[in-house]
Amino acid sequence: METKVVHVDPGRLEDFEKELTQAAEIIKRGGLVAFPTETVYGLGANALDSTAAERIYSAKGRPSDNPLIIQIAKKEDYEKYCIIENVEAFEKLKEKFVPGPVTIIQKKRDIIPHTVTAGMDTVAVRLPSHPVARRLIELSGVPIAAPSANTSGRPSPTKACHVIEDMMGRVDMIIDGGECEVGLESTIVLLKKEGVTLLRPGGVTLEMLEDTLGNITVDKAVKGKLEAGEKPLAPGMKYRHYAPRASVIILKGEDKDVVSFMKSALDDSATGLICYREDGIEESDRVEILGSKRDEGEMAHRLFDALRAFDSKEEIKRVYARLPEDSNLGLAIVNRLIKASGYTVVEVK
Ligand code: AMP
Ligand code: MG
């Protein structure tokens, strides 16, 4: 398949109506378009068209038991696709965090095909704040099913070049709209009459949700490893996601011990590092600086790009990284890093 790559400046949408209209035409006729959102790049297809949705699974190599998130452009559209049972929590979430990096799972309406929800009776819906995503959905006139635009198992794409790496020849169009601001996938919450459960942490943090909604249950899969036979509430959380080709090893311990361990580990040319600026280790082919230890926003924004950078370096067999505090946005970073490591944690003394 020939993939057309177009550039759209999110700050000057009116100058790119032609490209966006073309993209919307592709969606309407059942094709695939990768596009930027504020979280990561999405791989979009008409969410009301079962055949189009199937194309997403095959382009990504996504297991068919892992449901897709659908994206909408207007707050009124939630009710068209899901049944709102916990009205109070839903209204608060919508008021406070929508549009933005939060996905709400509720009972699905029949109009959403089972291919999209992988047979589940719930549907995950998000209203993105990114102007390109919003305009594309509006022009398409349908909700767009859009998981992250990476090959299944690879780190999510936060730049158009990541999408090109994974999706060239597999989709009809890639819209290059620059870097994604948040850099991690959306926060996912499950809304039921009985309460609210956090299934995946992201740009809308647990603390922000608790401030607005009170007490929230956190699915075990967010931080812990599930036992054999245990299932996460979000099927995708069971896969070894976000993984680069090299094995990722998480180092725990006092800062000074970890930094000195990392410095000596660099003597081995098969070692890569993900560090903080404060560590005083110079950036190089084998050293990715995630950002400042004190700036979780910067770390989140850079994380997937750092993980992907090691993929182009055959000689690197292992990558050492460490976890930030698991409060605020740190929880989402911890979640992605422990998954990338397949729960491999080493204590440094
Ligand atoms: P992605 O779109 O690649 O960021 O991943 C979407 C995540 O949402 C995956 O972990 C899915 O398993 C999860 N998800 C999507 N729809 C549902 C649903 N109806 N119920 C539970 N989890 C869902
Ligand atoms: Mg994904």
Side-chain angles (χ1 to χ4, degrees), residues 65-67 120 232-239:
D65 68 349
N66 191 7
M120 296 180 81
L233 290 166
M237 296 285 273
K238 69 173 173 282
Y239 296 107

Side-chain angles (χ1 to χ4, degrees), residues 300-315:
H301 179 77
R302 278 274 298 130
L303 179 64
F304 288 140
D305 187 44
L307 286 172
R308 269 181 184 260
F310 292 113
D311 280 354
S312 56
K313 295 160 193 161
E314 280 281 317
E315 68 284 8

Side-chain angles (χ1 to χ4, degrees), residues 35-321:
F35 60 96
T37 83
E38 70 277 22
T39 58
V40 300
Y41 272 77
L43 176 55
N46 179 353
L48 304 180
D49 175 346
S50 186
T51 315
E54 267 166 31
R55 294 197 179 106
I56 294 182
Y57 288 90
S58 56
K60 280 180 62 84
R62 185 172 176 106
S64 60
D65 68 349
N66 191 7
L68 310 175
I69 286 174
I70 73 166
Q71 299 193 10
I72 57 174
K74 297 198 296 284
K75 287 189 180 184
E76 305 86 84
D77 283 357
Y78 282 100
E79 300 211 37
K80 289 193 196 159
Y81 309 115
C82 45
I83 299 161
I84 294 146
E85 290 182 330
N86 189 334
V87 178
E88 196 190 336
F90 175 71
E91 288 300 327
K92 283 183 181 161
L93 277 177
K94 203 167 65 166
E95 162 86 29
K96 229 18 221 274
F97 305 118
V98 175
V102 65
T103 297
I104 305 172
I105 299 181
Q106 301 178 92
K107 277 245 174 69
K108 84 186 242 332
R109 289 197 191 272
D110 291 342
I111 187 171
I112 300 294
H114 284 291
T115 328
V116 168
T117 63
M120 296 180 81
D121 63 359
T122 50
V123 63
V125 185
R126 179 163 101 85
L127 202 172
S129 62
H130 197 289
V132 172
R134 297 277 289 274
R135 188 72 188 132
L136 175 62
I137 303 164
E138 273 166 16
L139 289 171
S140 304
V142 290
I144 296 188
S148 50
N150 51 288
T151 306
S152 235
R154 291 206 70 199
S156 294
T158 56
K159 297 176 173 174
C161 61
H162 301 158
V163 183
I164 291 169
E165 264 170 32
D166 284 14
M167 290 299 152
M168 213 54 191
R170 302 180 150 262
V171 301
D172 298 284
M173 185 185 266
I174 296 172
I175 303 178
D176 176 354
E179 288 189 30
C180 302
E181 193 185 324
V182 181
L184 299 177
E185 307 85 346
S186 60
T187 301
I188 303 182
V189 291
L190 173 64
L191 275 200
K192 285 188 168 175
K193 268 205 280 294
E194 309 85 86
V196 183
T197 311
L198 175 68
L199 306 194
R200 177 174 76 185
V204 171
T205 66
L206 176 61
E207 289 82 351
M208 288 156 78
L209 291 169
E210 281 177 335
D211 261 2
T212 309
L213 300 174
N215 199 26
I216 285 178
T217 312
V218 178
D219 192 37
K220 187 183 164 193
V222 168
K223 265 171 62 179
K225 188 177 180 179
L226 299 174
E227 307 298 330
E230 261 185 313
K231 283 200 181 127
L233 290 166
M237 296 285 273
K238 69 173 173 282
Y239 296 107
R240 186 179 170 230
H241 254 129
Y242 321 118
R245 283 190 251 281
S247 33
V248 175
I249 299 160
I250 305 294
L251 299 176
K252 275 199 167 157
E254 297 278 328
D255 250 18
K256 62 173 192 344
D257 298 333
V258 171
V259 172
S260 95
F261 178 95
M262 282 178 149
K263 281 182 177 155
S264 22
L266 262 192
D267 292 343
D268 182 342
S269 63
T271 294
L273 301 178
I274 295 181
C275 310
Y276 301 134
R277 201 166 292 126
E278 291 83 352
D279 294 343
I281 301 177
E282 207 179 313
E283 193 157 30
S284 73
D285 255 14
R286 293 192 286 121
V287 179
E288 290 289 321
I289 308 285
L290 212 47
S292 165
K293 218 171 8 193
R294 285 180 286 278
D295 187 346
E296 290 148 348
E298 189 184 11
M299 288 182 219
H301 179 77
R302 278 274 298 130
L303 179 64
F304 288 140
D305 187 44
L307 286 172
R308 269 181 184 260
F310 292 113
D311 280 354
S312 56
K313 295 160 193 161
E314 280 281 317
E315 68 284 8
I316 296 184
K317 303 291 181 229
R318 77 193 74 81
V319 174
Y320 291 115

